[in-house]
């Protein structure tokens, strides 16, 4: 639970809201945004590959959304699902 709520509950404060700044609250915010970010990363990959085929090592640094690990994870999902294809070292839509 929220660290602030936990502390205030200890002192019998029952109506405390989420603080929004503790590790728990920050993690909840990330979870709430994550599905939107995943879709944005996928759309960016598809958009870039729709313009021109790329090697993986060219594509990932070119993307703007997410971390490198998040980009790679979504790239793999798109490749496994057949939404992007490969020909040799190059990937395309």
């Amino acid at each position: 639970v929220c660290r602030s709520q936990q502390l205030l509950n200890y002192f019998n404060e029952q109506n405390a809201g989420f603080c929004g700044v503790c590790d728990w609250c920050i993690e909840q915010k990330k979870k709430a945004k994550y599905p939107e970010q995943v879709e944005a990363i996928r759309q960016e990959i598809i958009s870039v590959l729709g313009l021109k085929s790329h090697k993986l090592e060219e594509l990932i640094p070119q993307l703007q959304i997410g971390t490198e690990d998040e980009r790679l994870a979504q790239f793999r999902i798109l490749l496994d699902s057949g939404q992007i294809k490969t020909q040799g070292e190059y990937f395309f839509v």
Side-chain angles (χ1 to χ4, degrees), residues 3-93:
R3 306 298 177 223
S4 180
Q5 281 184 333
Q6 191 174 30
L7 180 63
L8 291 171
N9 283 338
Y10 176 79
F11 293 107
N12 293 323
E13 176 65 43
Q14 301 300 318
N15 297 322
F18 298 115
C19 70
V21 294
C22 71
D23 62 324
W24 186 86
C25 286
I26 290 171
E27 186 64 30
Q28 298 309 305
K29 287 179 189 177
K30 285 181 186 176
K31 286 179 182 177
K33 285 200 264 184
Y34 190 70
E36 293 141 10
Q37 185 173 5
V38 165
E39 185 58 30
I41 293 169
R42 289 180 186 175
Q43 290 303 317
E44 184 179 25
I45 292 170
I46 290 170
S47 176
V48 170
L49 290 177
L51 298 173
K52 176 185 165 196
S53 61
H54 288 279
K55 290 182 177 182
L56 182 60
E57 59 269 7
E58 297 169 346
L59 174 67
I60 297 301
Q62 189 179 61
L63 302 174
Q64 303 294 314
I65 303 171
T67 65
E68 185 172 323
D69 288 339
E70 291 169 333
R71 295 171 191 166
L72 284 169
Q74 296 314 309
F75 176 85
R76 287 183 189 114
I77 290 169
L78 289 170
L79 187 60
D80 290 345
S81 69
Q83 292 180 292
I84 58 176
K85 298 173 182 16
T86 182
Q87 185 173 25
E89 295 180 330
Y90 289 89
F91 297 90
F92 59 95
V93 176

